[in-house]
Amino acid sequence: MNQNQTIMNGKNELLASELSALDRRHLLHPSTNPKLQAQTGPKLIFTGGEGIYLHDMSGKKYIDGVSMLWNVNLGHGNKEMAEAAYNQMVNVAYASAFYGYANEPTVRLAEKIASLTPGDLNTVFFTSGGSESNDTAFKLSRFYWQLQGYTEKRTIISLKRGYHGVTVSAQRATGIEVYREFSGSTDPDIVNAKAHLTECELGDRNHPEYEGCIRSIIEKLGKDKVAAVIVEPIQGAGGVHIPPDGYLQAVRKLCDEFDIHLIADEVICGFGRTGKMFGVDHWDVVPDFMSIAKGITSGYIQLGGVVMREKIRDAFTSYDGMLAHGFTYSGHPTACAVGLKNIEILERDGLIEKVRILGERLEKGLLYLEDKYEFVSGSRVKGLLAGFDLMKDPDKNIPFDESVKASVSVVDEAYQRGLLIRPFDFEQGMNIIAIAPPFITSDNELERIIHIVDDSLAAFSKKVTK
């Protein structure tokens, strides 16, 4: 190491120490242990990123194995995306969409989204992110039914282990207990149903799990009390749970039978993450509302939206009054310009097909690890959205003892080796690892990810077999 490098490293250490102290004093981090954060400061302070890699202040390089929060689909440091934002900012950075005002990138993006979404999902209400999108979908569904004269048609049914955001209603809809409790809401009009019970939703009342399925809840409440059912095509933060074939079609049929809206939460799945433009495209389902965010801009700027079918849009455009809903940044022109550039790159570079091919290779890699380690099971992959379970004895369905902290331990081993992946252990006995790298990942980089996971599992195996 030369003298200049030594000086630079010393400056970085001082800056990191300063930022850590300021962080502990002034920041309350989301989805973080606040006591630990206040004691130790930030785990990483990022300073840069290129492609699938991120750098911290010490100069260490990490592979972003979960695209940060399933959203940095184009990877880090994409100059085209930055230029799209700059070019719009120097023209008109922000303009309100209230009072009927419009701007070109917002209109163009709405048109582009309508061309990509299935069926007659042709109208967009823009938001700033996924939580806002799902809250908006709830409001719009309820408002639609009010316009039809169904003033009590308000209940939203979501699924256990589903994740829909952290605004009050979206967090209440989330089927993860720690989030539902933190929402501070006891809204009786948002209820959880058991997930992925195809036969039950098709009407098999003799099924042992029928009580608590979507259909049973609708039958108990009455269809005139239920506004909508919200599902993720593939559950993300709940542990990467892929529904059985036929399930989404069964839920679509159920909603049609009882005249209830189907909301597809595509916040994670949308814009190519699963190897198709939208998750519902794998099962040829057209929802009534589609919530979008994350991948619409690859995380380069905040943007979300709700896409609705023409019948619903027509009901709203017949309403002669103010739509009493909107966000300051609904239809933000800079965000929409970035969204347009993001979609342009996805299509121009054939990235969604690349995701499908990489997904096949990732699946082979996880199956290899499942064969190699007795405690690895349940690997599941759609495109670059993947997960697997850690179980003490998968054959006997025996989980690791909670004290082992299996998923956290494996993720920490990967972290030590320069790979950022994500654990889920919010239920007793649950130990799930999620992997979701950016779309631009090369074959060699994907192999490197699998190799690091392999090494991390080997290190964990040595710990638990001592």
Side-chain angles (χ1 to χ4, degrees), residues 76-90:
H76 302 277
N78 187 297
K79 290 182 173 55
E80 285 187 88
M81 297 286 277
E83 288 168 0
Y86 173 81
N87 290 335
Q88 184 58 43
M89 283 181 173
V90 296

Side-chain angles (χ1 to χ4, degrees), residues 196-236:
H196 299 165
L197 297 172
T198 307
E199 295 81 4
C200 296
E201 309 311 355
L202 290 172
D204 182 3
R205 292 175 178 80
N206 295 318
H207 193 284
E209 295 292 327
Y210 185 79
E211 184 68 22
C213 73
I214 298 171
R215 180 179 286 271
S216 76
I217 292 172
I218 295 170
E219 289 172 345
K220 283 184 177 180
L221 295 175
K223 69 174 188 176
D224 290 344
K225 296 287 182 68
V226 181
V229 173
I230 183 168
V231 298
E232 296 167 278
I234 298 171
Q235 291 183 336

Side-chain angles (χ1 to χ4, degrees), residues 443-462:
D443 291 348
N444 288 339
E445 288 168 337
L446 187 65
E447 287 299 317
R448 177 63 182 157
I449 290 170
I450 294 167
H451 178 72
I452 293 175
V453 174
D454 189 357
D455 284 350
S456 302
L457 292 168
F460 171 74
S461 180
K462 289 178 181 178

